[in-house]
Amino acid sequence: MKADILPNLGNVELLDRMEQAATIQVGLYDNNGRQMVFMAEHNRQGQQAIAANSLTYIQQLLDKFELEAGDCDFFRYVFSPTSGPILGRFALKLSGEKPVSYSMKMLSQLEIEHMATLLEALPSSEMLQAV
């Protein structure tokens, strides 16, 4: 069984691109003033909700937590006990401060291990508890 590197994500209510209520799990971490924002499907098994609604969710998270897009790194997190954590990092294209498109880079196993070590040392943001 593989270790879950983000076991304490919080539920956040958002609207999907069809304006239907959706709950995703979110983790916010402050990395020396740069916010690391992790998004996971509610059941953590990858229902594709984030893939279909990435920009919609990212904009809502920016608004909800009063974050600046240029000061954030967004990640999609998928975990299963058999295969372990999978992380994709969004590279946002901005128009002003508004994300208009993105590409995603999947992190290698070595990068995920480095991320796990980093996350152990970082405080989780207090903003998430306020939601």
Side-chain angles (χ1 to χ4, degrees):
M1 182 174 284
K2 307 280 182 154
D4 186 348
I5 65 170
L6 289 165
N8 298 316
L9 299 178
N11 291 333
V12 175
E13 296 289 329
L14 301 173
L15 297 175
D16 67 17
R17 64 184 180 189
M18 305 301 278
E19 298 197 16
Q20 300 294 313
T23 301
I24 65 168
Q25 293 186 315
V26 176
L28 296 172
Y29 292 83
D30 186 341
N31 186 11
N32 296 316
R34 188 153 186 85
Q35 296 299 313
M36 298 173 70
V37 184
F38 296 88
M39 299 182 291
E41 263 78 29
H42 188 65
N43 72 358
R44 310 287 289 279
Q45 299 300 318
Q47 293 180 338
Q48 303 303 321
I50 291 172
N53 295 284
S54 298
L55 284 177
T56 301
Y57 290 165
I58 288 170
Q59 186 60 59
Q60 288 176 68
L61 291 170
L62 290 168
D63 295 341
K64 183 178 285 274
F65 297 112
E66 299 178 359
L67 301 170
E68 298 290 327
D71 296 333
C72 297
D73 295 312
F74 284 87
F75 298 87
R76 179 175 181 210
Y77 182 66
V78 177
F79 175 76
S80 84
T82 54
S83 57
I86 300 170
L87 277 169
R89 182 178 182 166
F90 291 91
L92 299 177
K93 181 178 179 186
L94 304 176
S95 176
E97 273 296 312
K98 183 176 173 74
V100 292
S101 67
Y102 70 89
S103 60
M104 181 179 284
K105 176 190 177 272
M106 300 308 294
L107 276 62
S108 69
Q109 189 59 41
L110 185 60
E111 290 170 313
I112 290 171
E113 290 169 11
H114 178 268
M115 181 70 70
T117 302
L118 176 64
L119 291 172
E120 287 177 5
L122 292 178
S124 180
S125 174
E126 299 294 319
M127 289 186 287
L128 195 55
Q129 284 83 32
V131 174

